[in-house]
Amino acid sequence: MRRRASAFFILAFGTASALALTNAAAQSDRTALSTYGTPGLIETPTARSLKDGELAFTTSLVGPTLRNTVTFQILPRVSGSFRYTRIDGGQSDGTPNFDRSFDISFQLLDEGELRPAVALGLRDFLGTGLYSGEYLVATKSLGSKLEVTGGVGWGRFAGRDSFTNPLGVIDDRFETRPGGSSNTGGQVETGNWFRGPASLFGGVAYHLNDRTTLFAEYSTDTYDRDTAQGLIDISSPINFGLQYGFRNGIDLKAYVVGGEEIGAQFSYVLDPAKRFNAGGRETSPRPVGSRNDLAVAEWNNSARGGGTEGATRALNARLADEGLVLQSFEMSGGRAIARIENTRWDVEAQAAGRAARAMATTLPPKIEELVVVFQDKGVPISRVVTQRSDLEELQYDYDGSWRSYARADIQDAADEGRAAELSGAYPVFDYGLSPYMALSFFDPDNPVRAEAGAQLKLSYRPSPGLTFAGRFRYPFAGNIGDSDRVSDSAIEPVRTNAVLYARESELEVNTLTAEYMFRPGKDLFGRVTAGYLEDMFGGVSAELLWYPTGSRLALGAEVNYARQRDFDMLFGFQDYGVVTGHASAYYDLGNGFLGQIDAGRYLAGDWGATVAIDREFNNGFRVGGYFTLTDVSSSDFGEGSFDKGIRFEVPLSFITGKPSKTVLKQTLRPITRDGGARLNVDNRLHRQVRDYRGKELRDGWGRYLR
């Protein structure tokens, strides 16, 4: 039996996660997860799956091995996992070995009355191959308490009691699994899949009650490499475990592996489609009352001789209460137009509804057509046209949201000018002083590095679309610059010198730019940005986007001249400069999936394309992944073979329940190299305007009357 210092990591991770997730809803039917972070017993997989869209976070300790896994149920029958593993003493010199791996699993059959659930999986199919293995597994419930699992596996799953591969009857090449690969990660070794000897594995899960489960399994993983180094003792194929599920969604599991090793596991399954505060914590909207009552109300300045000026004052105050900035207002005949900027609501359809209600409860009775124009940085994007009588009729209707959408009209707003702009609308000066934290992942010497300090943001907008902005940082503490990793790149070191930027900078001019956003025509958006564009590069960036209202497809083009900044991140430049640019296609695939392809030239001068797919939930929570292939060979790229990663976006409102435009973002790259590196420019157009176009407004229309 062994107890290792690595247990500290589990304790710290579990404690922090418990504090962060205390508002999570209880889940009585959670799927048990293995030490590999995928549906399983202890070490072996089952044919169970997470619910569609769920995210599972797992950290587990087995002997010297600490595994941290994120699993996402991409589709009802397809899941993917990313794992980062630390093996104490795993290197030949006794230092820790770090490994990154990806899994994918396919649900082939659902469980029926007599039929078991069946799944097919590939473990570590995109990595160094340390855990590489494939399996076919079946799971069946016998009553309400007992589940039985059995399967056949290859690769790492065939370490014990193996037999000749049954697929050899198809082709005798299946009987031998190629070895001796020099894979340094990122290469898909399809020639190994389902090759070589096979073994049978299986086990049972017994639910003592709805929160406690016992596990027993027969595992065929013998940990050959670890046992040869004396890092772990595996004397038995039988593993035992006990899991307890807390009401806040956290599962804790303890187990004995190989008859000798005691281990522990923390896991949490999150449903991104469900906010922690499902009902929301915003104030109730103002009810739309009778127009005649409005006309005689003493508080209504617009109907008591104030005219347009009085209406503007009253409406400005009402909109400000809703976190909406009125930038211009006009009314004539039976029509009123309010051009607004949304500073509060993360669902734009809800902002449109709040603005329309404010107009309906403020303006004279003769005003029937209410036009809300969404603007970003003073640039008109889309307008929503609603009839006042529809609001009066549908505000309490059971199906009011859908019926109001069917009657509303969403239009492009390129033809909106600056008529009736409020005096004092420009210039706009904004600032903010806040703490910041920068994170660096997967340095083998220290997998998580951080830097914390103070950040000052300044922006000045003298006229619509034109913004001067800067972001300045001063670090107080951190260890990113302590890394001794230096670039060993075979191509231009555009990203692998990140440590030098952290080491040689104190007061940091993170960005300092002049940006102009404009509308060159109907369904067209333009942007030009110049200055210190990001922490490592400055220059000029120009972008054009075609995005029709309500269209699934958007097309864009961007061209940049970028010059590498000095390592102190002040005002100097180095000698390296490059022209980069991409043609981009964005397509809404339906069911919350958004695909994106960017093809062109990258910062190191390489040519290629990036393919990305994101799944976005109606509350704004987003999970996605991407990969980039360029003309840089895998050997020149280095460890990882090509650029890839997974990314998360979590709206602050998802956690707090309060409306907010703040979004927490994090991208996890298994390895950061120089191939496929793209310029990081703020405010790329598609993300700036997408939420205001027709389809996105439609998807959030359920909150229009809230």
Side-chain angles (χ1 to χ4, degrees), residues 44 136 150-153 157-158 160-163 198-202 218-220:
T44 59
L136 180 68
V152 57
F157 291 97
R160 187 189 303 272
D161 298 331
S162 60
F163 50 85
S199 293
L200 298 177
F201 61 84
Y218 176 85
S219 173
T220 52

Side-chain angles (χ1 to χ4, degrees), residues 485-507:
R485 299 277 161 174
V486 296
S487 177
D488 59 353
S489 183
I491 60 176
E492 189 66 36
V494 294
R495 293 300 185 206
T496 51
N497 278 332
V499 171
L500 296 180
Y501 282 93
R503 185 183 301 165
E504 298 191 19
S505 64
E506 291 188 5
L507 175 63

Side-chain angles (χ1 to χ4, degrees), residues 457-537:
K457 289 184 177 181
L458 302 172
S459 69
Y460 176 74
R461 186 172 304 119
S463 61
L466 178 61
T467 305
F468 300 94
R471 181 167 59 238
F472 308 90
R473 289 178 171 178
Y474 190 86
F476 292 141
N479 62 351
I480 295 179
D482 295 342
S483 173
D484 58 3
R485 299 277 161 174
V486 296
S487 177
D488 59 353
S489 183
I491 60 176
E492 189 66 36
V494 294
R495 293 300 185 206
T496 51
N497 278 332
V499 171
L500 296 180
Y501 282 93
R503 185 183 301 165
E504 298 191 19
S505 64
E506 291 188 5
L507 175 63
E508 170 189 327
V509 181
N510 191 263
T511 61
L512 186 62
T513 60
E515 176 192 86
Y516 184 56
M517 182 176 169
F518 58 99
R519 297 296 308 270
K522 186 177 186 300
D523 298 327
L524 292 174
F525 300 84
R527 174 190 59 80
V528 177
T529 310
Y532 298 98
L533 303 173
E534 52 150 287
D535 52 358
M536 298 186 191
F537 283 88

Side-chain angles (χ1 to χ4, degrees), residues 327-341:
Q327 296 183 330
S328 69
F329 175 74
E330 55 184 315
M331 64 179 182
S332 61
R335 189 172 196 251
I337 304 173
R339 288 185 275 281
I340 65 169
E341 187 154 337

Side-chain angles (χ1 to χ4, degrees), residues 567-587:
F567 293 133
D568 62 11
M569 281 189 275
L570 293 176
F571 299 103
F573 287 96
Q574 301 183 47
D575 293 335
Y576 181 70
V578 62
V579 175
T580 77
H582 288 79
S584 301
Y586 313 86
Y587 191 76

Side-chain angles (χ1 to χ4, degrees), residues 491-492 494 537 560 562 576-583 597-611 626-632 643 674-679:
I491 60 176
E492 189 66 36
V494 294
F537 283 88
N560 316 291
Y576 181 70
V578 62
V579 175
T580 77
H582 288 79
I597 297 177
D598 304 288
R601 193 180 194 214
Y602 295 84
L603 282 174
D606 47 331
W607 293 82
T610 299
V611 178
Y626 74 92
F627 66 88
T628 301
L629 299 176
T630 74
D631 56 5
V632 174
D643 187 43
D674 297 308
R678 193 174 178 186
L679 191 68

Side-chain angles (χ1 to χ4, degrees), residues 139-170:
T139 299
K140 185 72 179 73
S141 296
L142 303 177
S144 61
K145 291 184 176 295
L146 182 64
E147 291 183 1
V148 178
T149 293
V152 57
W154 296 262
R156 181 105 179 199
F157 291 97
R160 187 189 303 272
D161 298 331
S162 60
F163 50 85
T164 302
N165 192 341
L167 296 177
V169 300
I170 301 173

Side-chain angles (χ1 to χ4, degrees), residues 360-383:
T361 57
T362 304
L363 303 182
K366 66 177 182 178
I367 299 299
E368 168 63 17
E369 188 171 86
L370 309 175
V371 182
V372 176
V373 180
F374 281 117
Q375 303 198 145
D376 183 39
K377 300 179 176 63
V379 178
I381 299 175
S382 300
R383 57 177 166 244

